[in-house]
Amino acid sequence: MVERFASFLKAGAAALALALPTLAAAQSASPNLFGGLRLPANYMSRFSSTELLASNEVGFGVRYFPLPFDPDIRVSLARQPNYWEYNVSTRLNDTTLAAGVFNNGATAAAGIPRLEATRDPFKGTQFSGRLQGNGASSRFTGGYAFTVASDRVRVLSNVGVAFQNEVVAPYTQTEVGGGYGRSFGRLNTGFSATVRAFTFPSQRQAQGSADFFVSANISPLRGLILDASQFERFAVGSVPIGDLSYGRYEETNAAITYRLPVGSTPPAFALGALRTRVTRDWTSKYTYLRGDVLFRVEALPTLIGPSIGYQWSPEGTPDRWLISVSFLPK
């Protein structure tokens, strides 16, 4: 059954990959390039969310590479130790369409086959249909979102049904989230919170959780930026669908970045920034230290360069070196 489902999703990925470029070519309206291919005006800016993977942490390949069409169509192809990721996705008018095999972590035996159509505007009617294989949950939902306090607070309500393994679970979802930021001279601060509740009437189970995020950054000297943030999640209760369970989590992040000055006529290639990052996962007891050397390439929308780090693991798990490619907005 799982193999047939995975084959169905892989076929869906191939069909979507063929259909979306055809749609994109029909809608394109930018100047002709390369013998008839039209590039959208904002094409280069899309690369800011592309993930180039070259790491012993997250695999090798590329995620969310934009195709040169007016609809923002993305393709991913990456190699994990035991499987390939390959998928195509797009975001059109607050609707996400996706198909293929998606990331399931570096230690998993196989990726997650997925076929998805989700409409989730910031305000208004919501719906989602997601079919997944390899033990991941599938679900169908519908609901509505609205905002209060001048759009600072968003309220979301959904009802749906979820499937995972042999469990079928109708459920309700309610979320309230918002944030606030303020500057004190050179010091910028931010705070956000999300409170959510799931109820599963058939299984007589429920779970409530709350996320809190605080951040601060300051630039005491020109080009020097200090960042720090803290994330806390608290949860109570239980759910029959593991993918909808939110457990206790706590993480601290800090970074020091020095950006080299840029002249009025930047060179085509130059050293752009140096950065040191520290992450502490208090829940799983991992500590990560990374050093990044980032170069400014005039043709690219972000700084890019090598990252070398080290992972201190909890007792019984080996420590290891971390090697990857890192990015930083220009």
Side-chain angles (χ1 to χ4, degrees), residues 43 50 54 61 63 85 91 93 126 138 143 152 168 182 188 193 211 222 241 243 250 261 265 298 301 305:
Y43 178 66
T50 298
R63 292 194 186 114
E85 298 174 46
R91 182 77 173 173
N93 299 325
Q126 318 273 312
S138 298
R152 291 192 181 95
V168 179
R182 187 171 179 181
N188 303 303
D211 298 349
R222 183 178 181 182
I241 302 296
D243 287 353
E250 180 183 8
T265 307
E298 202 56 29

Side-chain angles (χ1 to χ4, degrees), residues 48-265:
S48 62
S49 56
T50 298
E51 296 179 12
L52 178 63
L53 310 177
S55 167
N56 57 348
E57 290 180 90
V58 295
F60 299 86
V62 63
R63 292 194 186 114
Y64 314 121
F65 184 88
L67 297 182
F69 307 120
D70 278 345
D72 190 1
I73 302 168
R74 305 297 182 102
V75 295
S76 300
L77 180 65
R79 177 62 181 172
Q80 298 286 1
N82 300 314
Y83 64 93
W84 282 92
E85 298 174 46
Y86 50 94
N87 56 74
V88 58
S89 62
T90 186
R91 182 77 173 173
L92 299 170
N93 299 325
D94 296 321
T95 300
T96 297
L97 303 174
V101 176
F102 288 77
N103 181 30
N104 197 20
T107 61
I112 300 176
R114 179 184 303 161
L115 184 62
E116 177 181 6
T118 295
R119 176 175 169 79
D120 54 355
F122 190 65
K123 294 187 286 186
T125 302
Q126 318 273 312
F127 65 80
S128 179
R130 175 184 285 193
L131 295 173
Q132 298 190 124
N134 288 343
S137 69
S138 298
R139 53 186 180 267
F140 299 91
T141 66
Y144 192 80
F146 64 92
T147 62
V148 295
S150 300
D151 290 342
R152 291 192 181 95
V153 177
R154 180 175 186 257
V155 181
L156 168 67
S157 294
N158 276 329
V159 295
V161 58
F163 311 83
Q164 190 164 21
N165 300 321
E166 302 300 320
V167 178
V168 179
Y171 72 96
T172 69
Q173 172 193 5
T174 302
E175 287 190 11
V176 180
Y180 179 74
R182 187 171 179 181
S183 297
F184 303 90
R186 293 185 176 182
L187 177 64
N188 303 303
T189 63
F191 171 79
S192 63
T194 300
V195 178
R196 66 181 66 84
F198 287 92
T199 66
F200 294 82
S202 297
Q203 287 78 17
R204 297 182 180 179
Q205 290 182 267
Q207 185 187 71
S209 61
D211 298 349
F212 301 96
F213 179 78
V214 294
S215 64
N217 69 74
I218 188 172
S219 180
L221 301 171
R222 183 178 181 182
L224 182 64
I225 304 171
L226 310 180
D227 293 279
S229 66
Q230 178 72 17
F231 177 82
E232 299 271 358
R233 172 177 290 156
F234 302 91
V236 60
S238 61
V239 298
I241 302 296
D243 287 353
L244 297 179
S245 178
Y246 290 78
R248 173 76 172 114
Y249 188 75
E250 180 183 8
E251 181 178 296
T252 303
N253 284 275
I256 302 175
T257 304
Y258 177 68
R259 290 179 176 268
L260 278 73
V262 181
S264 57
T265 307

Side-chain angles (χ1 to χ4, degrees), residues 53-60 63 80-81 103 105-107 277 288-290 307-311 320-325:
L53 310 177
S55 167
N56 57 348
E57 290 180 90
V58 295
F60 299 86
R63 292 194 186 114
Q80 298 286 1
N103 181 30
T107 61
R277 296 175 288 157
Y288 306 89
L289 174 64
R290 296 177 174 88
S307 174
I308 300 177
Y310 197 75
Q311 170 189 296
R320 63 171 181 160
W321 288 95
L322 307 172
I323 302 172
S324 64
V325 175

Side-chain angles (χ1 to χ4, degrees), residues 268-287:
F269 179 84
L271 181 63
L274 302 172
R275 180 174 62 182
T276 300
R277 296 175 288 157
V278 179
T279 298
R280 172 63 177 176
D281 176 350
W282 300 95
T283 306
S284 301
K285 297 180 172 57
Y286 285 93
T287 301

